[in-house]
Amino acid sequence: MRTRHLIIILLGLILSLPVHAQKNKHKERHAEMRKEFREFKIKFIAQEISLQPEQTKEFTELYSQMEDEKFKVFSSAHKLECSVKANKNATDADYTKLSEAMLNAKEKDAELSKKYDDKFSKFLSPKQLYKMKEAEESFRRKMQEMRRKKSKKK
């Protein structure tokens, strides 16, 4: 009887390994895609603001750092949003908490933008800093257009 339970447990573990490995591959693939996307975005912005060669490295490092911080801020709000949306029994309190989390994320995002604008202004001209904001918005719009076109094809 014990052997039978042990065999069932071992079979369950063995059968779950490919699923676990597949989840890890998906996470790795997603992380790699995010990294490539970020690199593309940074190159796009750098080109739009006409960086000088000596500015490129510092810009890339600082922009990546800023993106990491902003990702962390919105990541927790996004996780909460997914859990509330997935919960068919979500209460008004859940939605209130979600609304507050989203508002807090936007406030932190504004604080981070100010913090990093100060850092960027040490090596970017005011014109470059303005063009960076324009380029970020342009990039966002282009990504939205691509998503819309992709969703229409389906």
Side-chain angles (χ1 to χ4, degrees):
M1 192 69 151
R2 266 189 156 168
T3 309
R4 189 176 188 194
H5 287 270
L6 187 59
I7 290 172
I8 291 172
I9 290 170
L10 285 173
L11 276 173
L13 287 173
I14 291 170
L15 292 174
S16 69
L17 285 176
V19 172
H20 183 69
Q22 192 173 10
K23 284 182 182 180
N24 284 341
K25 282 183 184 179
H26 177 73
K27 284 182 182 180
E28 289 172 11
R29 185 171 169 262
H30 184 72
E32 183 63 30
M33 286 174 59
R34 239 182 62 238
K35 181 183 174 195
E36 288 175 10
F37 180 81
R38 176 184 290 176
E39 288 172 0
F40 178 73
K41 180 180 180 182
I42 290 172
K43 286 178 184 175
F44 174 84
I45 293 170
Q47 182 179 359
E48 293 293 305
I49 66 175
S50 306
L51 285 180
Q52 298 300 313
E54 65 273 6
Q55 294 174 304
T56 304
K57 183 179 181 206
E58 191 172 5
F59 175 80
T60 300
E61 290 172 0
L62 192 58
Y63 200 88
S64 293
Q65 185 180 351
M66 178 183 72
E67 288 283 291
D68 285 341
E69 286 191 49
K70 287 185 175 198
F71 179 78
K72 288 177 187 172
V73 166
F74 284 103
S75 180
S76 60
H78 180 69
K79 286 178 186 173
L80 180 60
E81 181 180 19
C82 290
S83 68
V84 170
K85 284 182 174 182
N87 182 1
K88 293 180 181 177
N89 299 319
T91 65
D92 286 346
D94 294 329
Y95 282 102
T96 299
K97 185 177 177 181
L98 173 58
S99 295
E100 289 171 358
M102 292 172 80
L103 181 61
N104 287 336
K106 289 177 184 177
E107 288 173 347
K108 287 178 185 176
D109 181 53
E111 290 169 11
L112 286 172
S113 291
K114 172 100 175 86
K115 171 184 158 182
Y116 279 94
D117 278 1
D118 291 342
K119 291 181 178 190
F120 282 119
S121 68
K122 291 180 178 154
F123 65 93
L124 294 179
S125 71
K127 183 177 181 179
Q128 285 176 314
L129 193 56
Y130 173 76
K131 284 186 160 194
M132 181 180 85
K133 301 290 182 194
E134 275 189 327
E136 288 174 320
E137 185 60 27
S138 173
F139 187 83
R140 187 189 62 75
R141 280 193 311 271
K142 287 180 184 199
M143 292 300 108
Q144 282 181 329
E145 283 176 31
M146 288 173 63
R147 281 189 205 116
R148 269 196 297 276
K149 287 178 182 177
K150 185 178 178 181
S151 65
K152 285 182 181 179
K153 288 181 180 179
K154 288 182 179 180

